[in-house]
Amino acid sequence: VDDMASDFKRHCHMESPDSRAGAQVAPAEALPPSQALAPQLPAAGDADDDEEDKCNLTNMHQQLEQSFACRTQGDPQGALEPAFTAPTESRGPTVWVSEYADFSSKYGLAYKFGNECIGVRFNDSTHMVWDCCRGVVEYISRSREEGRPQESRASFHMQEPPEALTKKITLIKYFKCYLQKAKGRKEGVEVVVCNDKVAGAPDDAVHNSDGLVYVKRWLKTKHAIIFRLSNKSVQVSFFDKTEIILSSEERIVSYTDQSGQRIMFSLQSLVRPPPDIAKRLKYTKDILFQLIHR
């Protein structure tokens, strides 16, 4: 434990945690190999959990499919000018992943939301989210009761963490420091900023009705990384710094261009989106189809 604390302290001050040439600054160096969280296959309960997620993904896919069908029927040659209306009743997404670092070879995915909350999706399919402003931490795990999966949330203050979560508390503290200090560094695990021109989320964008929002699942493809959030949103962050966020409950699409300009519109108005948005929406639709049928 003393060695872990020492390495953690050295890294947070951006000192080399290892005197060996070429050593990576990463939790793999900060913790003994025996402390790593081995990747696990989805638990049996995850299959049932996937049914709810699959239903949300199916709804999103059907909405996009209908929009593209209307576009084809109304303008088979694609000759009409783009025309859609941004909804005035929505302020757009309130929670989204702003940056992340992939430590999944040993621990999991570390990420930061636009509201400054820090989260980890551990390889053992548990989750931890830290509201740094209030010091509140939520730990999310799943279990089976009477044959059905149940989500369990433990909420506590960072200054009074449960002893059983000591290792994961150490990791999330490390990741918070890493995301802050390691951006732009060439060595170690890369800190990826989804779009550094997007303004931060409003101060009240922290909770949903079930508690702190967290990344339930994630997937990286050739062109983008996809985050499935616990508030039933899907975020597709393209590596060219554009972004699509879909909300299944509000039926809202948010598109962010490379300059950080964000526009929102309803799925019903997606009859003739501009070509750059249409291309990314089609990619998103195809990814949703793969997620549903994988």
Side-chain angles (χ1 to χ4, degrees):
V1 176
D2 291 340
D3 290 341
M4 287 193 295
S6 177
D7 285 329
F8 174 79
K9 182 177 180 180
R10 281 201 299 267
H11 176 64
C12 283
H13 287 84
M14 298 311 295
E15 299 174 8
S16 173
D18 198 311
S19 59
R20 294 169 298 171
Q24 290 189 350
V25 182
E29 298 292 339
L31 300 177
S34 60
Q35 296 288 337
L37 299 173
Q40 296 183 1
L41 294 174
D46 286 353
D48 298 297
D49 183 33
D50 281 344
E51 289 303 315
E52 181 181 356
D53 285 343
K54 186 176 291 187
C55 181
N56 293 327
L57 294 174
T58 300
N59 287 336
M60 291 183 188
H61 181 265
Q62 290 177 345
Q63 291 167 10
L64 287 175
E65 193 76 64
Q66 291 170 2
S67 296
F68 275 92
C70 291
R71 178 173 183 259
T72 302
Q73 295 170 5
D75 181 20
Q77 304 300 322
L80 298 179
E81 292 295 322
F84 58 84
T85 303
T88 57
E89 68 276 6
S90 175
R91 62 175 180 174
T94 57
V95 181
W96 64 88
V97 176
S98 59
E99 56 192 67
Y100 63 92
D102 182 2
F103 291 99
S104 60
S105 62
K106 282 187 176 291
Y107 305 107
L109 182 80
Y111 57 89
K112 184 170 79 170
F113 284 126
N115 55 27
E116 301 298 320
C117 287
I118 302 295
V120 185
R121 203 279 185 183
F122 292 107
N123 286 343
D124 62 1
S125 297
T126 60
H127 309 264
M128 187 172 284
V129 191
W130 179 10
D131 180 353
C132 303
C133 296
R134 299 189 303 137
V136 174
V137 182
E138 287 191 3
Y139 179 70
I140 302 99
S141 59
R142 295 192 66 82
S143 60
R144 292 186 69 86
E145 295 183 10
E146 299 180 354
R148 297 184 61 83
Q150 298 292 329
E151 180 179 276
S152 175
R153 283 179 180 254
S155 181
F156 53 89
H157 198 279
M158 181 57 82
Q159 295 182 352
E160 299 177 347
E163 186 176 352
L165 294 176
T166 298
K167 181 171 66 175
K168 290 181 177 178
I169 289 292
T170 300
L171 284 170
I172 199 170
K173 286 181 176 179
Y174 190 99
F175 293 145
K176 176 180 183 294
C177 186
Y178 193 93
L179 290 170
Q180 180 181 359
K181 300 287 187 178
K183 276 186 286 190
R185 296 188 56 157
K186 295 182 180 180
E187 70 275 11
V189 175
E190 180 185 9
V191 176
V192 180
V193 179
C194 296
N195 188 318
D196 58 1
K197 296 181 175 62
V198 176
D203 294 337
D204 60 344
V206 177
H207 296 78
N208 65 1
S209 59
D210 298 321
L212 292 173
V213 179
Y214 63 93
V215 173
K216 296 189 72 171
R217 304 288 178 99
W218 63 282
L219 172 70
K220 188 181 292 184
T221 69
K222 181 179 179 181
H223 301 289
I225 183 168
I226 297 91
F227 303 104
R228 294 163 63 181
L229 306 186
S230 62
N231 63 355
K232 299 182 181 180
S233 295
V234 171
Q235 174 179 338
V236 184
S237 294
F238 294 90
F239 298 140
D240 65 356
K241 302 300 182 182
T242 60
E243 189 172 80
I244 292 285
I245 300 178
L246 297 173
S247 172
S248 64
E249 291 191 322
E250 296 185 17
R251 300 174 64 89
I252 295 296
V253 176
S254 167
Y255 172 71
T256 307
D257 63 21
Q258 293 174 327
S259 68
Q261 182 69 30
R262 177 172 283 169
I263 57 174
M264 282 74 65
F265 44 91
S266 67
L267 283 169
Q268 291 90 334
S269 67
L270 273 175
V271 178
R272 294 185 299 277
D276 54 342
I277 300 180
K279 180 173 67 175
R280 288 164 178 80
L281 282 172
K282 184 180 185 305
Y283 185 86
T284 299
K285 178 174 69 72
D286 294 341
I287 288 294
L288 290 176
F289 181 84
Q290 294 179 34
L291 290 174
I292 294 167
H293 297 282
R294 62 184 300 180

